[in-house]
Amino acid sequence: ILNVEQSPQSLHVQEGDSTNFTCSFPSSNFYALHWYRWETAKSPEALFVMTLNGDEKKKGRISATLNTKEGYSYLYIKGSQPEDSATYLCDNTDKLIFGTGTRLQVFP
Amino acid sequence: KAGVTQTPRYLIKTRGQQVTLSCSPISGHRSVSWYQQTPGQGLQFLFEYFSETQRNKGNFPGRFSGRQFSNSRSEMNVSTLELGDSALYLCASSLVKGDQETQYFGPGTRLLVL
């Protein structure tokens, strides 16, 4: 993988469902990975910074894991709410490269 | 502490013109990065400035340039505008140039080229 890739591109879930999506990145020369939430008409806002293989971070219903050896990070949302609707971006801060994001829509 | 501010918020220009966008980072932040976002694309990295020096540059033509002042404020200039330059331009600041540093984004400048 030469660039940061995110999947799926978009996701529609019902309120209360749990969901997860993936950020894949080059595993060589890894320094850190950030997850951001970007709500419509707002600025991207940092969720997590992850640096060590096996890192797990949690903020409320949102958590993330990191596997630097295989080059991926998962973001999980437990019990999705309409206010979780946003685009979730990850970046490989070594090269300041962002993925194209996963656009999440949560329907009430 | 005030957040990252960008001016102007909206701008309409015509092809061939040039434009200058401004970004004021969070007080104390010394690193400023610029990104372009076009419909269907992720954030495309333009460049990063730290202590008035360009430290990283993305894959954009030379029409895109920037600079940073001693107070860490940064400007981005696009010359000879093309229709494809219509985009949201975001700047982000961080405390130092560090890979673990979280970036704080401004509200963006939406540029429309006619």
Side-chain angles (χ1 to χ4, degrees), chain B residues 19-30:
Chain B
V19 67
T20 300
L21 312 181
S22 180
C23 172
S24 293
I26 291 172
S27 177
H29 284 195
R30 296 168 64 189

Side-chain angles (χ1 to χ4, degrees), chain A residues 34-37 45-49 59 62 75 88, chain B residues 102:
Chain A
H34 282 106
W35 279 100
Y36 291 86
R37 175 168 57 203
E45 185 182 333
L47 284 172
F48 306 114
V49 56
K59 185 187 282 190
I62 304 177
L75 189 81
Y88 291 83
Chain B
T102 295

Side-chain angles (χ1 to χ4, degrees), chain B:
Chain B
K1 199 182 256 190
V4 178
T5 58
Q6 290 186 246
T7 56
R9 293 292 310 278
Y10 303 93
L11 203 49
I12 300 175
K13 291 283 188 179
T14 56
R15 278 180 297 175
Q17 287 188 306
Q18 68 93 29
V19 67
T20 300
L21 312 181
S22 180
C23 172
S24 293
I26 291 172
S27 177
H29 284 195
R30 296 168 64 189
S31 174
V32 174
S33 298
W34 287 90
Y35 298 88
Q36 181 198 65
Q37 199 230 6
T38 51
Q41 298 282 324
L43 290 177
Q44 306 290 313
F45 172 68
L46 281 153
F47 24 68
E48 180 200 7
Y49 286 88
F50 180 76
S51 293
E52 301 178 67
T53 301
Q54 188 180 91
R55 298 299 292 264
N56 277 304
K57 190 175 190 304
N59 191 25
F60 277 80
R63 300 184 297 107
F64 291 81
S65 62
R67 59 179 175 167
Q68 187 180 34
F69 302 95
S70 57
N71 62 358
S72 294
R73 189 177 71 84
S74 178
E75 286 182 348
M76 190 193 95
N77 186 74
V78 188
S79 62
T80 320
L81 283 165
E82 300 177 359
L83 296 179
D85 297 332
S86 296
L88 177 68
Y89 291 88
L90 289 170
C91 84
S93 74
S94 60
L95 192 58
V96 294
K97 182 194 178 295
D99 299 309
Q100 298 184 27
E101 278 294 322
T102 295
Q103 295 192 93
Y104 295 84
F105 285 85
T109 294
R110 191 166 291 279
L111 171 66
L112 177 62
V113 181
L114 301 176

